[in-house]
Amino acid sequence: MTEPPQPPNQPPTPSGYGHLPGPPPQAYGYPQQGENPYAQQPAPAQQPPYPQQPPTVAAYPAHGLQPPPPGGPGMPPKKKTTLLVAAAVASALVLGGVGWAVLAGGDDAKEPVAQESGDAKPSGSPSVDKGDGNGDGGAAQTDLNAGRKQGEDKVLWLKTAKIDGPGAGVESKGQWIVADTVAKAVGNTIKGYAVTDGKEKWAITLPADLCATTPRTTEDGKTVVLHKNGPSETADCNQIRMIDLKAGKEGWSKEVTKESDFDMFLDPNLALTGDTVTVNRLTRATAFRISTGDKLFASPAEGCVPGAYAAGSGKMIGIATCYDKDGTVEVQDADPVTGKKTWTYRLPKGWKVNRVYSVDPIVLDLGNAESKERSIIVLGSDGKQRATLSGEGKFPTECGMSFDDSLQGCANAVADAGTLYLPTKADIGKANEIVAFDLATGKAKWRVPAGEGRTIEPVKAANGTLIAYRKAENAQGGEVLSVPADGSTPTALLRHPSGAAAPIESSFYTPQVDYVDGRFFISTSRLNAKDSDEKLLMVFGK
């Protein structure tokens, strides 16, 4: 398939992107198994109550995928195509769309032989929960380390929750690890637990349920959350509040006011870098100083208007929709303090930004819903295109069973200065792999297979070394792996226990995971809230 037409003053991109007629199956993942009381079935994902589309082009979210029309025209194929692409048809509304890519490549792979690691012991107090549910963990009275095999590490503790909530369940998306505390959000409550034994250190109850969080924090352990302005289902998500995760205290709070008559607090999300947080919603965004709560800047009222910002590593970019007949999308750099731009990168007609995988370097996942094409590009610090990724495999951007169409949400991709790490699609019962792409050339450098029937995903990367999580199965615990910069044999940092713990670990609903200071954290993003114990947060270590 031919490359998308280039916008003015942009270099041509190499080929390698093709076309896939029709979408693949819906959400993927392992089915819930076993009779363990914490291996509960996930609540069905609820489609957000989006309104009818506003009449103006500017009201479209710049990063959303519009569903393709039936029988939409394609583009003439090239002789060689490796990346096959489909656009979303999951929703009749712009905000509900997700995209995925499918490349020609096998899923079966042999299990890598991981070397043992001898220096992964975490720091901090040696006091740990024995996994029997005591120690203020709130877990069942069972030994989670029972059946642990030789060479396997331990469950340090399991935190459960017992909530009686609405039929759709209660969201539990926030998870932060700061110093010796791991904090977890459930509904309108944030609690901090000791990383060593799970003992509750503090709790903050907000006036109404959280509706947006960011996994990022400031250097001194502060974050910002967004919550509703009342208990009703129709309440606006416009209340912003700073949380000091180290101290376990609330900071300033304020209402995010509308920037225009068409400013609607739909699909809200947060982007944080340095001392700045932006509140993104359908057509506008507002930035605040985290230390004081002062307003810094907001989306302009005319021209090419950023409806959302992506942030991290001291950098920020805006994804703007232009007031023209085509609703052109423009990527802009943005000063985190003033919002001022110094360059723009304009996408061709019909193209949108699906995801921002990284802002330093800038790696964008682009899609064209009408032609059912997809492209992953790299921009330099001057806003000029450096490379286009090309390689074999199936690379999904959907969020499993969770709806999250924010720019930086649930992409399961991580990047460092020179490499993007993308997991291939995890078909049930088949192995997937992680592919490392060179951001200078766009070409695949190496691949690490999960092993027969297993699933692997990237967690974080730095200085060329990748930390990955090989997911648990009902009868086998997961593993935390360190993959060298050259993609050679991984090192096992943690081997999670089999036996009683494995069916719990393997059945977390759209889990949030992290590896910090020798410990692995996994937590749920939603509770069924049926007034019975449910797994909330599980921690592994030496």
Side-chain angles (χ1 to χ4, degrees):
M1 170 160 292
T2 58
E3 287 297 314
Q6 294 302 301
N9 302 319
Q10 298 293 342
T13 60
S15 63
Y17 289 84
H19 172 77
L20 176 69
Q26 288 186 324
Y28 59 90
Y30 286 110
Q32 310 301 312
Q33 304 180 50
E35 299 299 326
N36 192 290
Y38 305 111
Q40 80 272 10
Q41 295 285 342
Q46 301 296 311
Q47 177 71 17
Y50 298 129
Q52 295 299 314
Q53 298 175 5
T56 60
V57 171
Y60 290 115
H63 61 280
L65 272 179
Q66 301 181 31
M75 299 179 69
K78 275 198 169 183
K79 292 182 179 179
K80 182 180 180 181
T81 58
T82 53
L83 182 59
L84 309 179
V85 184
V89 290
S91 171
L93 295 176
V94 173
L95 288 180
V98 291
W100 51 85
V102 182
L103 292 91
D107 288 317
D108 296 319
K110 294 182 179 180
E111 186 166 348
V113 179
Q115 301 171 349
E116 290 289 350
S117 171
D119 57 355
K121 291 185 178 180
S123 62
S125 169
S127 174
V128 296
D129 194 297
K130 297 180 180 180
D132 58 3
N134 297 318
D136 198 31
Q141 303 300 308
T142 183
D143 184 0
L144 297 179
N145 290 308
R148 186 161 58 102
K149 301 175 182 177
Q150 184 176 3
E152 292 180 340
D153 296 302
K154 302 175 182 177
V155 176
L156 299 183
W157 50 273
L158 168 67
K159 184 67 61 174
T160 64
K162 186 177 181 180
I163 297 175
D164 187 11
V170 174
E171 287 195 342
S172 178
K173 288 187 175 179
Q175 174 183 287
W176 306 269
I177 297 95
V178 176
D180 61 352
T181 301
V182 52
K184 181 66 183 170
V186 177
N188 69 331
T189 303
I190 304 173
K191 291 185 178 182
Y193 307 99
V195 295
T196 52
D197 55 19
K199 292 184 182 298
E200 184 176 318
K201 301 175 67 176
W202 51 261
I204 295 173
T205 300
L206 304 176
D209 283 352
L210 291 164
C211 40
T213 64
T214 169
R216 291 180 170 82
T217 67
T218 61
E219 290 185 356
D220 57 352
K222 295 180 176 66
T223 193
V224 173
V225 299
L226 198 61
H227 64 83
K228 296 180 179 180
N229 63 359
S232 71
E233 293 184 1
T234 58
D236 284 334
C237 183
N238 61 1
Q239 305 295 308
I240 191 171
R241 191 174 298 254
M242 186 267 280
I243 305 294
D244 186 333
L245 296 167
K246 279 189 176 180
K249 296 180 179 180
E250 301 175 59
W252 54 264
S253 63
K254 61 174 51 183
E255 179 176 325
V256 183
T257 58
K258 291 185 176 182
E259 301 294 341
S260 75
D261 291 338
F262 297 101
D263 188 359
M264 293 177 285
F265 285 84
L266 298 173
D267 190 38
N269 61 85
L270 302 170
L272 185 154
T273 189
D275 197 28
T276 299
V277 63
T278 65
V279 181
N280 307 320
R281 55 265 193 197
L282 185 64
T283 62
R284 293 290 189 272
T286 310
F288 297 89
R289 191 183 300 278
I290 298 171
S291 55
T292 64
D294 295 336
K295 180 179 176 180
L296 294 173
F297 61 88
S299 302
E302 57 185 19
C304 296
V305 180
Y309 290 89
S313 305
K315 306 289 185 180
M316 184 175 288
I317 59 172
I319 309 300
T321 300
C322 301
Y323 282 87
D324 59 23
K325 63 183 180 65
D326 296 325
T328 305
V329 174
E330 186 177 272
V331 182
Q332 310 169 349
D333 71 325
D335 184 289
V337 177
T338 66
K340 292 182 179 179
K341 62 183 180 182
T342 58
W343 57 258
T344 62
Y345 177 89
R346 183 162 289 201
L347 275 61
K349 177 182 177 181
W351 287 77
K352 308 289 181 182
V353 177
N354 300 333
R355 302 283 180 196
V356 176
Y357 290 137
S358 171
V359 294
D360 186 24
I362 300 171
V363 186
L364 309 174
D365 192 317
L366 311 178
N368 187 318
E370 183 175 353
S371 62
K372 300 180 181 179
E373 295 172 282
R374 180 185 175 198
S375 182
I376 300 176
I377 66 170
V378 184
L379 301 184
S381 58
D382 56 0
K384 294 182 179 179
Q385 188 169 322
R386 289 172 47 194
T388 300
L389 271 59
S390 178
E392 295 184 354
K394 302 178 183 179
F395 301 96
T397 61
E398 74 266 27
C399 305
M401 298 179 70
S402 174
F403 284 92
D404 184 349
D405 61 0
S406 61
L407 286 173
Q408 296 174 282
C410 68
N412 286 340
V414 298
D416 55 24
T419 308
L420 177 71
Y421 306 90
L422 279 175
T424 60
K425 187 177 185 298
D427 291 317
I428 296 176
K430 291 187 177 181
N432 81 323
E433 59 187 0
I434 294 175
V435 183
F437 290 92
D438 189 321
L439 295 180
T441 65
K443 297 180 179 179
K445 297 194 297 185
W446 49 257
R447 297 166 181 266
V448 170
E452 185 176 355
R454 301 297 295 275
T455 303
I456 191 172
E457 64 181 28
V459 176
K460 59 178 60 177
N463 303 318
T465 299
L466 172 69
I467 301 297
Y469 172 49
R470 182 152 56 191
K471 293 184 177 181
E473 296 180 303
N474 192 54
Q476 187 171 2
E479 289 179 288
V480 179
L481 304 175
S482 175
V483 184
D486 60 0
S488 56
T489 304
T491 298
L493 301 177
L494 288 176
R495 296 182 188 275
H496 302 167
S498 303
I504 302 175
E505 182 189 358
S506 65
S507 61
F508 273 88
Y509 174 69
T510 54
Q512 299 161 89
V513 302
D514 206 350
Y515 178 75
V516 179
D517 196 23
R519 299 180 185 90
F520 181 78
F521 302 81
I522 181 170
S523 66
T524 187
S525 61
R526 177 176 288 274
L527 294 169
N528 283 331
K530 301 302 181 185
D531 199 26
S532 61
D533 274 333
E534 299 179 75
K535 60 186 178 297
L536 175 67
L537 172 63
M538 199 173 192
V539 183
F540 299 84
K542 293 291 185 181

